Amino acid sequence: MKPFDTILVVDWSAAQGRAAARANTIWIGIARDGVAEAPRHMPTRRAAEAWLADTLRTEIAAGRRVMAAFDFPFGYPQGFARAVTGQDDTLALWDWLADRIEDDDTGRNNRFAVASDLNRLFPGTGPFWGKPNETDWPDIPYRGSTRDGHGMAEKRACDAAAAASSVWQLAFPPTVGSQALMGLPMLSRLRRIDGTVAWPFEPWQDAPAVLTEIWPGLIENAMPPKGDGIRDRHQVRLLAHALAALPVDELARMMDVDAPEEGWILGAGRRGRLTDLAASAPAEAPLAPPPLSNDCFALPPGIEWTPVDDALALLRDRLRPVTGAEQIAAADADGRILAAPATATRANPPGPNSAVDGYGFAHEVTGDGPQSLPLVTGRAAAGAPYAGTVPRGQAVRILTGALLPEGVDTVVLEEDTRTDGTTVAFNGPVKPRANTRQAGEDVAAGDTLLAAGARLRPPDLALLAAAGVAQVSVRRPLRVGVLSTGDELAAPGSTMDPARTYDANRPMLLALAARWGHAAVDLGHVEDDRNALRDRLDGAEADVILTSGGASAGDEDHVSALLREEGALTSWRIALKPGRPLALGMRAGLPVFGLPGNPVASFVCALIFARPALSLMAGGGWAEPLAMTVPAAFEKRKKPGRREYLRARLGPEGVETFASEGSGRVSGLSWADGLVELSDGAAQIAPGDPVRFLPYAGFGLF
Ligand code: AMP
Ligand code: MG
């Protein structure tokens, strides 16, 4: 059978009149190419039918195979079709109903009148029962227990197999009978679309579009707890995922049923399998979160100097992820941040297998001393399992990675054996299960492989692949805009005017953002002009902006002025050397990190403040730098009050610091391999004293 490119799962409804316009009407789950999309809500049956007809036609025209699965019975117990239409033909019964059932845009319909007509075709009382009140429709009994003598079975064979409800019940949940009366006329019309067939009544193996019956009760155990969102919506999404995740040959076997009149529930009798697949559905991608609030960076009044740790704690507390999510192939997800946990769809290894090349047998037949076992013909290799059972007392040639054949639980290493091709000899004792790997010993199906917020690395891609995860929900990359300000700035090499400073921060900050896995957006350079700055910020396609320069609250400080006027600004005087002024602002929902202009200070502030803040906003959680304690290979006397970061690198005697502490020396940044962090208090450091070294590599730079 050809696989289905698109799976639609329809949660049908028999809702009447105004109730039909309420939330709990019709939901359609959609999976295209194995990936579940957001389910669609249909306000009325007519809207749903129009959408389905349109989608079937479009997909068929595009050469995409479609399965549309519906959650109501396609048939009735044996004999019903003949009693109504004179033929043993369920499809004729669909047409009979299509000719009689009326349904309008508000959901008003005549199903009780039609059910009355149907009951009159049968002797006794019933088979249909259940109605809104005890007086109307005298041919329909109010209670099921008063039915008698109508001659129809209570359930179809598949309803019994799946423990599904009776098709005769019209009122009081579950209203399966009403759903079918209101649904079958639609099927009668949909199956007339060119290329569309009804399973299992028509040949379906090669049809471009197949209408099937499913029952959400089969995945009840995979459903989130009651009260956790709209259940029908969950159900159709999980079912669409489960059907799409089913290997095509397994689906073909599930569809291979013999039920020419009553029809069948797809997957009846395979409840566990569908539940497992449904439970493996990735969590739905969250919508893009709302923007951060304007007072996000506000500081308590009266604060003069903010210690570094307080500033970090405040950022950590106020910021949160701002990016939405998307589904992508796991193989393409290196460096991306998981928006939802990744769950194993299959155990690894999926079955017990051999860890070595050797000979496999049942351990219980071996003992101490020399052993000699006759060999079966054939062998077990990776990807080419041994088909039969290895008889007790015999051995089989087995290669690394081969599934253990039935009858084998232990493998002896080839190097420890002798063989003449018909018998294998080795020395006992052999440990039970020696040289084998157990199913799921690495990962069990359903295990959480990686938590939301994990940034994927190459070994993570191997884990996802080994556990069968083909698609992951990841955060969209955080767009980090980088802007330089200042009249004095010029492009590197563009002028020899000594009054001009080459823009060193922008290439550095853009590269930092990129190394941290964000989408770096170059917003260029703006002169000290309020309107130019406003235009640049307004046009920025970014989730957060790093500016440098203009943060010192001087006359030319347009960044701070603009934020103060049109948004919110907190100018932080952080007890930090180098890099005192740090402006944190919000403008039109856009956070702006105003970094110092001085490149050394700009770099330190970017590493210490911007890196963890950007990581949090990107959905990856707060990022702590990697720190190690190493002996100092320098001498230093430090006054209390400010935390200090020295440009440093490891040498044979310990960590060395750059000769000059002058923060204008960009060469020291490039010379260094990391920073030495000196705590806020006073310090007197002598060579050999332990100090905290933060390597560049621990900030993601290597
Ligand atoms: P500011 O923070 O604007 O007061 O600038 C402090 C110092 O950093 C001044 O000497 C600026 O010229 C210099 N500066 C500002 N922006 C940059 C930049 N993008 N590249 C290099 N130096 C800069
Ligand atoms: Mg329903």
Side-chain angles (χ1 to χ4, degrees), residues 20-28 38-44 47 233:
R22 285 207 296 264
N24 189 22
T25 47
I26 296 168
W27 283 96
I28 302 182
R40 282 174 175 264
H41 179 243
M42 299 288 159
T44 62
R233 185 178 186 283

Side-chain angles (χ1 to χ4, degrees), residues 11-12 71 179:
D11 178 81
W12 197 239
D71 73 334
Q179 303 228 12

Side-chain angles (χ1 to χ4, degrees), residues 484-485 488-489 501-506 548-552 596-599:
S484 292
T485 64
E488 79 281 21
L489 296 186
T501 301
Y502 295 141
D503 183 356
N505 289 344
R506 193 147 47 95
S548 71
S552 47
N598 176 298

Side-chain angles (χ1 to χ4, degrees), residues 449-518:
L449 302 168
L450 293 155
R455 189 183 282 282
L456 299 177
R457 305 158 306 165
D460 301 324
L461 302 195
L463 175 63
L464 293 171
V469 179
Q471 296 275 327
V472 283
S473 168
V474 294
R475 294 277 178 185
R476 290 182 196 282
L478 182 74
R479 297 166 306 166
V480 179
V482 175
L483 177 72
S484 292
T485 64
D487 286 342
E488 79 281 21
L489 296 186
S494 63
T495 170
M496 286 298 160
D497 179 355
R500 308 295 294 275
T501 301
Y502 295 141
D503 183 356
N505 289 344
R506 193 147 47 95
M508 173 180 74
L509 295 172
L510 284 167
L512 282 175
R515 291 256 187 154
W516 293 333
H518 310 304

